């Protein structure tokens, strides 16, 4: 049966007579990491004891993230095969605890596990460098929704946000963009506003550790070889016309300026990735590969020579070769790569995980090419799109509409490893707007990811109404239900 308090909905549950009342000083026993998390998140102080127990127990039926949560009149007992499973049990417990006394929990049995191992949220911090405290809050909200992966889009034409110790100009120069009259001319779009900022490696390492305590892994993305105008502004020798001084791009859209593929540029990129790997322990590093206009390559004799030497008919195939160099380098460091789905048509490195973002059918194309695939089609998962296009109060967005129901009702192709919601930030200059766009659609995506497709939207919407009360208490600036 369905437990109305749980969002995402659980795989299986039953409710029994009676209740357990959680009181101040209730005894807690759990592995140290889980005890710390529960103490931090529960609304009441606890002591050592057996009223709330969390235990690791080998149970293949629960998989890597599942858990069993049982409430009896005597207390709460959770088991899972892993600490991750226990973390999700803590999140479910929090949803069962009423806000305010008496904190009575119904007696129940929840046996729960996710349908997809990859439940992601992309946040673009390159277009706007959202403040570090917001990233912590963002992670808290992901964990609350049992989303397990934060994809941080750290670099783009308009800004480079990842501190690289070996190449400080990436953030000194590439971390800033100037005011631009050309952008201002496009009224209301926040184009042309000067902006700057970056994250130190220390800040990101601390964020990674905080997220890990909540079961959220962070996948960094360094978008290459396109979307790199900020890097080329910082180090012109990376570009196709080394004597040309570009600036960090000041308007939205795709830059035509991309990396050249010289040996020096490749070793520069590998140095950058080495520093990325030092900061982000997660198994995956995303190396981009979207939207690479090839005109500059066609006009660059060195690139043409490289293509000829490799026997490639089309310079665009160099993209696959380049990604392969990066994948080999990262592979030697124990990492796998994530790539955008354009690379599937350009000899993508075998085994790379494809993020299929273009048309929905690209998910199938990537699967058929033999890749692990995260379904991220813009039609269903681009949460930066407006929910409606006929509401005059709707803030400006890059595209739309993408209503809540469409996100919820998405049926990814059979065989994907998961789903991911994207928040590109061209039109999300403030954290309030990020939250407005993210919620409640990210809650719908989270349920799709955890509970699988085919949920009843009407029922979800009712459960969501209660869930929004939780977001209210946290001060989340979500978009109210229409
Ligand atoms: C396409 S999706 C992009 C981003 C934009 C986004 C806007 C993708 C891999 N590239 O650079 O921000 O559209 O919706």
């Amino acid at each position: 049966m369905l437990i109305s308090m749980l969002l995402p909905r659980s795989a299986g549950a039953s409710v029994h007579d009676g209740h357990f009342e959680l009181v101040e000083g209730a005894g807690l026993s759990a592995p140290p990491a889980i005890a710390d998390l529960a103490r931090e998140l529960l609304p009441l102080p606890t002591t050592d004891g057996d009223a709330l127990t969390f235990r690791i127990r080998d149970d293949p039926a629960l998989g890597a993230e599942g858990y069993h949560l049982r409430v009896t009149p005597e207390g709460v007992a959770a088991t899972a095969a892993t600490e991750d499973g226990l973390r999700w049990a803590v999140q479910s417990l929090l949803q069962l605890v009423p806000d305010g006394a008496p904190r009575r929990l119904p007696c129940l049995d929840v046996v729960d596990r996710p349908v997809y191992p990859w439940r992601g949220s992309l946040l673009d911090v390159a277009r706007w460098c959202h403040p570090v405290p917001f990233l912590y809050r963002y992670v808290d909200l992901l964990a609350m929704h049992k989303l397990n992966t934060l994809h941080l889009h750290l670099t783009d034409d308009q800004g480079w946000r990842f501190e690289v110790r070996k190449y400080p100009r990436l953030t000194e120069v590439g971390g800033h963009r100037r005011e631009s009259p050309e952008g201002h001319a496009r009224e209301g779009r926040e184009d042309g506003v000067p902006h700057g900022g970056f994250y130190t490696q220390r800040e990101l390492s601390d964020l990674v550790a905080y997220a890990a305590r909540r079961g959220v892994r962070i996948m960094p993305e360094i978008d290459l070889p396109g979307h790199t105008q900020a890097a080329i502004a910082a180090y012109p020798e990376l570009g196709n016309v080394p004597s040309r001084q570009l600036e960090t791009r000041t308007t939205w859209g795709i830059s035509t300026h991309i990396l050249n593929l010289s040996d020096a540029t490749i070793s520069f990129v590998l140095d950058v990735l080495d520093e990325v790997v030092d900061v982000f322990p997660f198994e995956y590093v995303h190396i981009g590969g979207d939207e690479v206009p090839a005109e500059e390559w066609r006009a660059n004799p060195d690139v043409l020579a490289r293509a000829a030497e490799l026997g490639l008919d089309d310079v665009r195939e160099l993209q696959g070769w380049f990604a392969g160099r990066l994948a080999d380098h990262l592979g030697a460091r124990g990492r796998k790569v994530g790539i955008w789905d354009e690379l599937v048509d350009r000899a993508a490195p075998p085994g790379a995980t494809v993020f299929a973002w273009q048309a929905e059918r690209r998910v199938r194309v990537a699967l058929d090419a033999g890749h692990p695939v995260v379904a991220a089609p813009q039609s269903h998962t681009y949460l930066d799109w407006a929910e409606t296009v006929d509401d005059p109060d709707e803030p400006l967005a890059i595209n739309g509409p993408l209503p809540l129901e469409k996100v919820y009702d998405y049926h990814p192709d059979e065989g994907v490893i998961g789903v991911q919601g994207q928040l590109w930030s061209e039109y999300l200059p403030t954290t309030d707007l990020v939250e407005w766009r993210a919620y409640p659609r990210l809650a719908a995506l989270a349920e799709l990811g955890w509970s699988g497709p085919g949920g009843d939207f009407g029922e979800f919407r009712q459960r969501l109404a209660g869930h929004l009360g939780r977001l209210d208490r946290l001060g989340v600036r979500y978009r109210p239900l229409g």
Side-chain angles (χ1 to χ4, degrees):
M1 73 184 283
L2 237 148
I3 306 289
S4 62
M5 290 96 106
L6 294 180
L7 194 157
R9 72 178 186 281
S10 60
S14 56
V15 177
H16 309 288
D17 289 342
H19 67 263
F20 166 69
E21 188 164 335
L22 179 64
V23 292
E24 200 168 311
L28 171 77
S29 80
I34 304 305
D36 288 349
L37 182 68
R39 292 212 156 95
E40 192 178 333
L41 299 180
L42 279 167
L44 297 167
T46 54
T47 55
D48 290 339
D50 290 331
L52 310 171
T53 65
F54 292 84
R55 243 192 311 273
I56 300 281
R57 189 167 61 94
D58 193 26
D59 183 350
L62 295 177
E65 293 183 275
Y67 64 90
H68 181 184
L69 181 71
R70 201 160 173 218
V71 180
T72 63
E74 287 71 49
V76 176
T79 58
T82 63
E83 289 201 343
D84 279 337
L86 291 180
R87 290 188 176 93
W88 303 136
V90 169
Q91 294 293 344
S92 287
L93 172 62
L94 293 172
Q95 295 193 343
L96 296 172
V97 176
D99 183 44
R103 298 186 194 271
R104 270 196 195 136
L105 286 69
C107 288
L108 46 71
D109 251 293
V110 174
V111 182
D112 198 10
R113 59 178 291 175
V115 168
Y116 297 114
W118 190 288
R119 303 178 306 281
S121 166
L122 176 147
L123 184 63
D124 169 9
V125 290
R127 272 53 177 265
W128 295 97
C129 186
H130 294 304
V132 172
F134 176 73
L135 301 182
Y136 280 74
R137 173 184 168 89
Y138 196 83
V139 164
D140 286 340
L141 291 174
L142 296 187
M144 175 177 169
H145 292 87
K146 301 189 175 78
L147 289 162
N148 65 0
T149 311
L150 171 59
H151 174 166
L152 264 191
H153 182 77
L154 285 163
T155 67
D156 215 300
D157 294 319
Q158 294 86 1
W160 183 286
R161 310 288 170 220
F162 173 71
E163 175 198 24
V164 178
R165 295 187 178 143
K166 188 160 184 186
Y167 303 114
R169 285 175 61 83
L170 284 171
T171 46
E172 282 166 16
V173 174
H176 301 269
R177 57 176 183 263
R178 68 170 176 84
E179 181 150 25
S180 140
E182 190 201 331
H184 283 316
R186 303 209 243 152
E187 216 182 316
R189 299 189 166 219
E190 302 285 347
D191 258 14
V193 176
H195 180 70
F198 68 94
Y199 307 116
T200 65
Q201 293 192 7
R202 183 62 204 266
E203 285 170 327
L204 291 167
S205 295
D206 289 348
L207 177 71
V208 163
Y210 178 87
R213 290 198 290 275
R214 281 155 178 71
V216 176
R217 312 95 44 110
I218 303 187
M219 175 177 67
E221 180 187 353
I222 304 296
D223 199 352
L224 305 160
H227 287 273
T228 46
Q229 188 171 322
I232 301 170
Y235 294 95
E237 63 271 28
L238 300 173
N240 287 284
V241 186
S243 57
R244 178 178 54 201
Q245 179 60 59
L246 297 172
E247 57 178 8
T248 304
R249 189 171 166 95
T250 57
T251 56
W252 309 138
I254 310 163
S255 173
T256 54
H257 305 301
I258 64 174
L259 299 183
N260 67 42
L261 299 178
S262 68
D263 291 337
T265 293
I266 290 172
S267 44
F268 182 103
V269 167
L270 299 182
D271 289 342
V272 168
L273 292 176
D274 284 343
E275 295 199 25
V276 167
V277 161
D278 283 345
V279 173
F280 295 94
F282 185 40
E283 194 180 3
Y284 290 83
V285 174
H286 199 297
I287 55 173
D290 59 317
E291 299 175 325
V292 184
E295 289 73 33
E296 284 196 348
W297 281 354
R298 292 205 181 91
N300 181 341
D302 295 336
V303 174
L304 293 173
R306 171 82 84 187
E309 176 198 321
L310 293 165
L312 305 176
D313 301 334
D314 182 341
V315 284
R316 288 180 305 173
E317 284 173 49
L318 281 169
Q319 234 200 288
W321 170 80
F322 172 69
R325 294 284 306 267
L326 311 191
D328 289 348
H329 185 80
L330 288 165
R333 283 152 185 75
R335 303 307 172 90
K336 298 178 179 166
V337 294
I339 53 175
W340 293 112
D341 72 83
E342 280 92 331
L343 268 164
V344 174
D345 311 324
R346 318 244 189 285
T353 295
V354 172
F355 290 71
W357 73 273
Q358 301 185 86
E360 198 186 340
R361 62 177 175 76
R362 298 288 296 171
V363 174
R364 187 75 261 156
V365 171
L367 285 166
D368 288 346
H371 293 277
V373 179
V374 174
Q378 40 180 343
S379 53
H380 295 76
T381 68
Y382 270 34
L383 309 182
D384 55 314
W385 287 20
E387 288 201 33
T388 69
V389 287
D390 42 28
D391 181 346
D393 293 335
E394 186 81 30
L396 188 68
I398 201 158
N399 210 334
L402 177 49
L404 177 66
E405 184 167 6
K406 186 163 180 185
V407 177
Y408 191 77
D409 283 341
Y410 176 42
H411 274 73
D413 292 80
E414 202 67 46
V416 300
I417 61 168
V419 290
Q420 184 168 285
Q422 279 52 243
L423 282 162
W424 299 102
S425 72
E426 287 97 326
Y427 298 98
L428 303 177
T430 65
T431 56
D432 280 359
L433 272 170
V434 173
E435 288 189 350
W436 168 274
R437 289 280 175 235
Y439 292 100
R441 288 179 297 180
L442 201 47
L445 185 114
E447 179 149 309
L448 168 64
W450 181 275
S451 319
D456 172 345
F457 179 69
E459 183 283 318
F460 168 74
R461 214 170 171 288
Q462 279 175 18
R463 216 163 4 97
L464 182 61
H467 183 71
L468 292 179
R470 259 174 225 140
L471 297 185
D472 281 329
R473 289 192 280 285
L474 296 170
V476 178
R477 306 297 291 258
Y478 61 85
R479 184 184 191 280
L481 294 174

